[in-house]
Amino acid sequence: MTARVMHIVFFGDQHLDSLGGAQVSMRLQREFLERAGHTVTVVAPRMHGSRASDVADPANVDLPSVPITVDREYSMSWPGRATDRFLDRAMTHRPPVDLVHVQADFWGAFIGHRYAARHGIPVVHTLHNRVDVGIAAVTPLHRPALGALNLWRRRALRGVAAPVSGYDGWAFLRGIAIGASAVTAPSTHFARRLEEHGVFSPVDVVWNGIDDDVREATLDAAPTARTPGRPRFVWLGRMSPEKRLLPFLEAFVASGVDADLEIIGGGAQRPAAEKIVAGSASVRFAGKLSYSDTLARIAAADALVQTSIGFETQGMTPFEAATLGTPSVISDPDIAAELGGGLWAVPGAAGTEAQRKAGLVETLRRAASDIAAGTAPVPMREVSEAFRQSSRTAAMIEVYERVLAS
């Protein structure tokens, strides 16, 4: 770790207490940066709903916001002069800022770049989101939606960064990254795509990590060896179309495997998911769990199942599973290649949805057979070591230092 003490300001689209892989990653980054002696302030929309804390975290600046989902889990802050003034007032009581780290793709990105430009602060931008794939998964009107996003981006960043033309997802990412001194991505495959589409070059690859301490505690509590028998699968994530939970459950039923399945997480598709497996004693919906409880369930499972394709910019859960010694069933060939081993790769990713589902049926049967026979693949040790948050924080600090030195 560097001897230089920094004050870094994170900008996120969502409050760190809300659900999501980016939020988990940012919480861990803040914790390990603070362990290294640095100060981290997190700027994000104020959270609403039953899970919102009544006690303000002094490390956060909670911006005025409005809820944007029915369950009030997620909210947005409008990037404009009123938000700028609120943020500037809040930051006057904090130490001078050395660096802005934008970890947002929408309003948080606009607000973060506006703040950095007003105060002449360098920016590191971590891109988490395949905007084009995510929007296409949730609306058939994705092209008009992307066009509107690009118009909003140009308006919000007018005078902040050089204008970027275009109306697709890559134009949007180019537009929000152009003001950065460095851009990072949480996987090699996403970094290469960003470079190929002219978003930024070179893009630094810094994986999201797993809490070193929680990892050790989880491994200490887990069985020392996996024993052949009835397979235990676990699927976790947001229950929304891009995660492909419903096709997975249809494939699980069609496979006829004699296995237990635990579903962790929440979202709008839960009622539809429960309907697909209604009456099945082998499928359990655990709901939303804490970080440590989720890792414990992954460690106890025989296999994790990850079913999104083309959406994940890293796909944290297979890496968490590999770190805990649990192999994965992987639908996305890019994520399978990044892991390198310790998995069952699902064929048919480039085909139709029917072909993808058929590939998943086949792979679930193969995985269940391997687990029952005691011949399941073993995750690679190199991935386990490289995924520790302490090593990820050290890598990010090198990026910070390079930017500040230039």
Side-chain angles (χ1 to χ4, degrees), residues 11-13 102-110 125-128 176:
F11 283 83
D13 284 323
V102 175
Q103 305 206 48
D105 301 286
F106 300 105
W107 44 88
F110 304 158
H125 196 141
T126 296
L127 293 170
H128 288 280
I176 62 173

Side-chain angles (χ1 to χ4, degrees), residues 27-178:
R27 287 197 299 267
L28 282 176
Q29 290 175 50
R30 179 175 70 182
E31 178 183 344
F32 278 75
L33 282 167
E34 289 174 344
R35 289 187 190 185
H38 306 291
T39 299
V40 180
T41 298
V42 180
V43 180
R46 181 172 65 88
M47 198 171 172
H48 301 264
S50 60
R51 297 197 325 108
S53 174
D54 294 327
V55 181
D57 185 334
N60 294 345
V61 173
D62 294 347
L63 300 174
S65 68
V66 294
I68 57 173
T69 54
V70 174
D71 61 2
R72 300 170 69 85
E73 178 78 19
Y74 302 110
S75 54
M76 73 163 288
S77 297
W78 187 260
R81 293 177 181 175
T83 298
D84 293 344
R85 290 193 294 269
F86 180 95
L87 176 57
D88 286 347
R89 285 195 301 269
M91 293 301 295
T92 58
H93 306 294
R94 296 171 185 264
V97 177
D98 295 289
L99 187 136
V100 163
H101 188 169
V102 175
Q103 305 206 48
D105 301 286
F106 300 105
W107 44 88
F110 304 158
I111 294 166
H113 280 283
R114 289 168 67 101
Y115 175 80
R118 286 197 306 279
H119 299 282
I121 301 168
V123 177
V124 172
H125 196 141
T126 296
L127 293 170
H128 288 280
N129 198 330
R130 273 291 303 269
V131 172
D132 54 342
V133 176
I135 291 177
V138 298
T139 175
L141 303 175
H142 59 280
R143 287 188 177 86
L146 282 170
L149 270 178
N150 276 290
L151 289 172
W152 185 24
R153 180 257 304 167
R154 284 198 285 272
R155 180 173 180 178
L157 297 180
R158 183 180 298 139
V160 173
V164 173
S165 61
Y167 292 92
D168 64 5
W170 298 111
F172 182 82
L173 294 179
R174 282 193 294 272
I176 62 173
I178 195 170

Side-chain angles (χ1 to χ4, degrees), residues 201-278:
S201 186
V203 176
D204 290 283
V205 179
V206 182
W207 286 358
N208 297 319
I210 188 172
D211 188 308
D212 298 40
D213 300 335
V214 175
R215 172 187 181 272
E216 296 306 320
T218 303
L219 288 173
D220 287 344
T224 55
R226 299 183 185 277
T227 56
R230 181 181 171 86
R232 296 163 297 170
F233 293 103
V234 61
W235 184 101
L236 62 143
R238 184 175 61 253
M239 297 181 186
S240 53
E242 71 277 7
K243 299 290 186 177
R244 299 183 67 247
L245 172 60
L246 304 189
F248 162 60
L249 290 177
E250 291 168 356
F252 182 81
V253 172
S255 71
V257 294
D258 183 20
D260 292 320
L261 169 63
E262 183 171 45
I263 308 293
I264 300 173
Q269 288 194 325
R270 177 161 178 170
E274 291 176 333
K275 186 176 180 180
I276 291 172
V277 294

